[in-house]
Amino acid sequence: MKSVSIAGVAKAFGGLSVLSGVDLEIPSGSFTAILGPSGSGKTTLLRIIAGFERPDAGEVRLGQRVVDDADHRFVPCERRRIGYVPQEGNLFPHLNVGRNVAFGLAREDRRGTRVGELLELVGLSGMARRYPHQLSGGQQQRVALARALAPGPDIVLLDEPFSSLDASLRASVRADVHDVLRLSGATSILVTHDQDEALSMADQVAILRGGVIAQINTPSSLYRLPRDAELAQFLGEANLVEGTVGGTVGGTVGGTTVQTALGELEVATDGTAATGPGYGRPVDGQVRVMVRPEQLILDEGGARGVPGVVRSYEYFGHDAVVRVQPEIGGLAELVVRITGADPLVPGTRVGVSVHGAVVVWPLDDRERITHA
């Protein structure tokens, strides 16, 4: 298996910059998700790694081998030992499942046991003679994965492979695909705009924003310690409030707590936090504070915490989302995520308090939070 190294990769189409200096290191055998909104350049980056597109600048290295330097050196896609799973699967409709999987194999390997082994691996044993139109969407994606794995690639690229599946299928299919890729040992790269998909599948998640990698980290660290408020809101719901802190945020000289309308809160100070803007550097006065919905605790009746009134209650089975309007100034509506509770009808009085450490960033006059 091979690592992937991307350095300074840039790409423009018709004068419009899509990638403007992407740097990314992907360890051998790992699973990396490249996460970004539609139009952020995720698929373009994947196609450059595959060799379907050439960068305007920068370098792509697979293992120790430079496969594209945007100038003299270029290794064509068929010599990169890469498997590619497109968004729709793109199976050949006139070929049965077995022949679809065998398409990328050498002629002598098509008569062996490889196809049967791969179909067993992806949970489709006994379906070699079926045609794509006889399969469900999830089964078609499994065939596409088996076809990508057939030549024994060092790297597997997945371009939003679950986006066309029904919501009920998506979670089970991606879990199956994740297991298959782990067993194959291939270095895997997934591009997606689905935060749940990225956080649940990957060893590391790289967020593509503005043509560059805005932040890369493990899923848990990325969710807990986003680099800025925009990333925090992109990775899930976040309550943003203003606060005041002194000394050094995340450091050892004061600044271990922040004063907010929700009370005095502990500031996150673990090692990862020290790498982000706002950590380990002086902060004077106002800061922006992130509180995740699951950090908020509700007290029905309002005896403890900041008093507020329930505006809405949405039940999702595994949890519920409650929107609360605080009764003190300076706080917008708060989003609270709870489990195992009876429904809270709109108008119910509650108290809201915060559990756990919070993330803060410097706040200047241009960034002050305004409330409608």
Side-chain angles (χ1 to χ4, degrees):
M1 302 304 106
K2 291 181 179 178
S3 60
V4 179
S5 178
I6 300 165
V9 164
K11 182 68 176 179
F13 295 99
L16 178 64
S17 177
V18 177
L19 304 174
S20 55
V22 174
D23 297 306
L24 182 60
E25 295 291 334
I26 298 173
S28 173
S30 67
F31 194 124
T32 294
I34 300 173
L35 177 65
S38 298
S40 62
K42 305 182 300 297
T43 294
T44 297
L45 181 58
L46 205 70
R47 289 176 62 82
I48 287 172
I49 296 170
F52 302 154
E53 298 277 0
R54 298 290 309 276
D56 299 329
E59 180 181 275
V60 179
R61 188 185 295 267
L62 305 183
Q64 299 302 310
R65 185 187 189 191
V66 175
V67 295
D68 201 337
D69 65 0
D71 190 7
H72 303 295
R73 286 175 287 186
F74 176 70
V75 176
C77 55
E78 66 270 18
R79 292 172 51 200
R80 295 192 183 189
R81 292 186 58 80
I82 285 178
Y84 193 90
V85 182
Q87 184 170 335
E88 300 293 340
N90 288 353
L91 301 180
F92 301 112
H94 62 290
L95 299 181
N96 63 29
V97 166
R99 293 176 67 189
N100 261 285
V101 173
F103 185 80
L105 292 174
R107 188 180 300 273
E108 59 272 16
D109 294 329
R110 296 178 187 178
R111 299 188 182 90
T113 60
R114 179 67 173 161
V115 170
E117 291 168 352
L118 284 165
L119 290 177
E120 183 176 358
L121 183 65
V122 299
L124 296 177
S125 296
M127 296 191 181
R129 295 185 181 277
R130 293 193 186 182
Y131 283 82
H133 71 273
Q134 297 174 306
L135 305 177
S136 68
Q139 289 171 332
Q140 289 182 30
Q141 284 303 97
R142 289 187 179 94
V143 175
L145 177 62
R147 183 177 63 185
L149 292 172
D154 296 318
I155 299 161
V156 175
L157 308 178
L158 303 104
D159 184 6
E160 307 234 27
F162 315 112
S163 61
S164 62
L165 300 181
D166 293 339
S168 58
L169 271 178
R170 209 170 296 152
S172 62
V173 173
R174 71 190 184 202
D176 291 341
V177 168
H178 182 268
D179 291 343
V180 170
L181 289 170
R182 289 286 187 212
L183 288 171
S184 76
T187 303
S188 304
I189 305 173
L190 166 75
V191 301
T192 180
H193 65 274
D194 187 314
Q195 294 90 340
D196 291 341
E197 198 166 280
L199 295 174
S200 66
M201 294 185 72
D203 301 319
Q204 64 174 6
V205 178
I207 299 182
L208 189 60
R209 183 181 68 182
V212 299
I213 300 298
Q215 188 174 0
I216 181 169
N217 213 323
T218 63
S220 60
S221 292
L222 201 62
Y223 182 79
R224 289 186 301 109
L225 301 161
R227 183 158 290 174
D228 55 45
E230 184 182 346
L231 289 179
Q233 293 176 306
F234 180 67
L235 285 168
E237 291 191 274
N239 298 290
L240 300 178
V241 300
E242 288 185 8
T244 305
V245 67
T248 301
V249 177
T252 57
V253 183
T256 55
T257 62
V258 57
Q259 295 291 339
T260 75
L262 288 170
E264 183 178 14
L265 309 178
E266 179 188 358
V267 174
T269 57
D270 73 24
T272 309
T275 64
Y279 294 97
R281 76 186 200 197
V283 173
D284 184 15
Q286 291 290 95
V287 293
R288 176 169 287 186
V289 182
M290 179 194 78
V291 183
R292 290 292 189 192
E294 59 271 20
Q295 288 185 266
L296 293 175
I297 299 172
L298 295 183
D299 177 58
E300 193 169 352
R304 290 175 294 180
V306 173
V309 176
V310 172
R311 292 300 186 200
S312 67
Y313 178 93
E314 298 174 271
Y315 182 68
F316 297 101
H318 47 76
D319 61 13
V321 171
V322 185
R323 298 184 184 274
V324 176
Q325 179 59 58
E327 293 183 330
I328 62 174
L331 281 177
E333 184 178 82
L334 298 171
V335 180
V336 186
R337 191 175 297 276
I338 61 175
T339 59
D342 293 328
L344 292 169
V345 298
T348 301
R349 296 183 61 81
V350 294
V352 184
S353 55
V354 179
H355 172 74
V358 297
V359 173
V360 304
W361 305 284
L363 178 69
D364 61 31
D365 289 337
R366 294 169 300 173
E367 297 176 307
R368 292 190 184 279
I369 303 168
T370 58
H371 307 305

